[in-house]
Amino acid sequence: MRRYLIAGNWKMNTTRQSGVALASELAAAAAKEEAGVEVLACPPYPYLLPVGEKLAGSAVRLGAQDAYFEAPGAFTGEIAVEMVKDCGCQYVILGHSERRHVMGETDATINRKVRAVISGGLTAVLCVGELLSERQAGQTEAVLDRQMDGGYSGISESEAASIVIAYEPVWAIGTGVTATPEQAESAHEHLRKWLARRYNAAFSEKVRILYGGSVKADNAESLLGQPNVDGALVGGASLKAATFVPIIEAARKLAAGG
Ligand code: PEP
């Protein structure tokens, strides 16, 4: 049984004050460890420490939205894996579509970051997903295969245990358009088969595959109820406890048997 992971990607949002206030509400909503659901908050870098302080003692994990692959040194503007670890992060989101398509990150760059995060002892949330034009051209599975081949390049099975996948169709991110539960399930099943081919079937069954793309309270249960959907990476709806906590609750309900 895979444990649900409900992750909030705050992107370049919140102030220190509003981020800390949100963290307090999340800490109250997920105060204790739960067998069925894990909760993660990924604030902007400058707020990692104050947000982490508010989350301390709760069950909410702290994550970063990116990290550079080099060790600390002369890389102006970048943030090293050991720095986000030092701030209390356990997870790092990598290869988010905004980093791929706005900042121009390639699969090769993302792979270096994945390896740096794993060797730093953290868990990578590796995002993959197709553009609308790619879906319309029938290329979804080919795009996912390419991103998985790139992201997992040179990574052993034991290292791959420190990767969570997030399937995020680009056309569904921040658009209000959500993949149907069937579209999400089909992509997740494809990703799990890729893992079974690359590693083995037993390993593929252990990997958590999150869905991301306009997840909200009203669609969370139907998406999370799919057999291969093991959680959600939530953008817009993660910025308020009132919209994020119901997604956690949907996962709790399903983890408790529906
Ligand atoms: C995201 O940021 O990864 C995301 C899925 O955003 P949204 O939930 O706003 O679509």
Side-chain angles (χ1 to χ4, degrees):
M1 176 79 181
R2 296 179 293 266
R3 189 181 185 197
Y4 281 112
L5 175 60
I6 307 298
N9 173 14
W10 298 5
K11 309 194 186 189
M12 200 169 73
N13 292 299
T14 71
T15 60
R16 182 168 63 180
Q17 194 179 25
S18 68
V20 166
L22 174 56
S24 290
E25 291 180 274
L26 296 182
K32 293 201 187 88
E33 287 296 329
E34 296 167 53
V37 184
E38 189 181 0
V39 180
L40 169 65
C42 302
Y45 291 130
Y47 308 144
L48 285 172
L49 283 175
V51 165
E53 276 166 25
K54 280 287 168 204
L55 298 179
S58 81
V60 185
R61 316 271 195 257
L62 187 67
Q65 298 172 19
D66 189 31
Y68 198 50
F69 48 75
E70 293 284 3
F75 301 98
T76 304
E78 293 295 345
I79 309 284
V81 172
E82 65 179 77
M83 293 171 179
V84 298
K85 189 174 180 182
D86 196 23
C87 290
C89 289
Q90 291 175 260
Y91 286 85
V92 183
I93 299 171
L94 294 173
H96 189 277
S97 76
E98 286 143 23
R99 298 223 54 94
R100 289 178 188 268
H101 300 293
V102 182
M103 283 77 179
E105 283 193 14
T106 63
D107 286 315
T109 304
I110 294 161
N111 175 249
R112 292 184 75 179
K113 292 183 171 186
V114 171
R115 294 205 230 177
V117 163
I118 295 171
S119 60
L122 303 185
T123 298
V125 179
L126 172 63
C127 303
V128 295
E130 80 288 359
L131 298 165
L132 181 59
S133 56
E134 292 167 334
R135 174 164 282 267
Q136 287 169 337
Q139 295 167 349
T140 298
E141 294 185 350
V143 170
L144 295 180
D145 288 348
R146 190 190 69 224
Q147 293 174 342
M148 293 289 281
D149 289 343
Y152 277 81
S153 177
I155 291 177
S156 67
E157 181 180 330
S158 64
E159 291 167 332
S162 297
I163 301 176
V164 171
I165 300 169
Y167 170 60
E168 298 210 310
V170 181
W171 46 272
I173 299 178
T175 58
V177 180
T178 315
T180 63
E182 294 74 26
Q183 285 172 321
E185 174 59 18
S186 158
H188 285 226
E189 193 183 7
H190 181 78
L191 291 166
R192 205 173 300 287
K193 284 187 179 150
W194 183 96
L195 290 166
R197 277 197 310 277
R198 171 76 164 78
Y199 298 101
N200 55 71
F203 176 77
S204 77
E205 289 300 323
K206 291 187 208 146
V207 177
R208 291 185 291 181
I209 307 178
L210 317 184
Y211 168 78
S214 299
V215 176
K216 308 259 182 298
D218 60 3
N219 58 29
E221 196 174 330
S222 59
L223 288 159
L224 294 170
Q226 297 301 308
N228 283 293
V229 177
D230 309 311
L233 181 54
V234 185
S238 73
L239 294 173
K240 288 199 163 53
T243 48
F244 190 59
V245 175
I247 299 171
I248 301 171
E249 280 164 356
R252 281 180 181 145
K253 185 176 160 196
L254 288 161

